[in-house]
Amino acid sequence: MARPKPLADLLDICLGPALAAQGFASADILAAWPGIVGPRLATACRPVRIEWSRRGLRDRDERPQPALLVVRVEGAFALELQHVAPLLIERINAYYGWRCIGRIVLKQGPVRRAPPAPAKPAPLGAPERQRIDAALDGVAEDGLRTALDRLGSAVLAKPGRAEA
């Protein structure tokens, strides 16, 4: 029986060609961007593409020349990002574990923001908690039990849910 594949593997397969066209090896820098630049700057800038040097490598073991990272930034944050660019290059290179980025070019323009996270539902009351616990009595595997507990909590916490 085939084991299920992690979603990240499937996303890389689907998004890989589009990301490769922009110079990204995978979606990891896009996903890690808020951790690299910090939450405040992450709302005002996004990596657009990585431009690698066109010079061929002489030796297979030789590392490629550091690339140029193009970042779209909103006007008010461009100056700040320009000042922290050396630190940003250090953080990106530390994230990858080698000197892959050598320079950053800023392109001013609007940055698409992620939609705000949905509000957390109110905690469950005692009757709902007892219902979930009773339904999970026969589940022995901890991982499955935890996942089903989260699912039950999410379903019972939704406003306007149908009673079963």
Side-chain angles (χ1 to χ4, degrees), residues 124 128-129 131-133 135-136 144-158 161:
L124 295 177
E128 288 90 1
R129 185 75 253 160
R131 244 176 104 186
I132 293 171
D133 290 341
L136 296 176
L144 179 59
R145 184 179 184 83
T146 303
L148 289 173
D149 184 76
R150 273 195 323 264
L151 176 63
S153 298
V155 169
L156 292 179
K158 283 189 176 181
R161 63 176 165 69

Side-chain angles (χ1 to χ4, degrees), residues 24-92:
F24 297 110
S26 67
D28 57 347
I29 192 169
L30 301 173
W33 190 249
I36 292 171
V37 299
R40 192 170 82 76
L41 281 177
T43 62
C45 66
R46 290 274 187 267
V48 176
R49 68 179 173 275
I50 296 177
E51 294 179 2
W52 296 96
S53 174
R54 301 236 185 254
R55 287 186 9 196
L57 299 178
R58 293 182 200 104
D59 185 12
R60 290 190 93 141
D61 296 331
E62 186 180 346
R63 293 225 182 229
Q65 292 293 317
L68 176 117
L69 176 65
V70 179
V71 177
R72 179 172 305 282
V73 62
E74 290 184 346
F77 288 91
L79 186 61
E80 181 176 354
L81 198 62
Q82 186 177 5
H83 285 292
V84 298
L87 176 63
L88 183 56
I89 291 170
E90 263 184 55
R91 286 182 176 182
I92 293 168

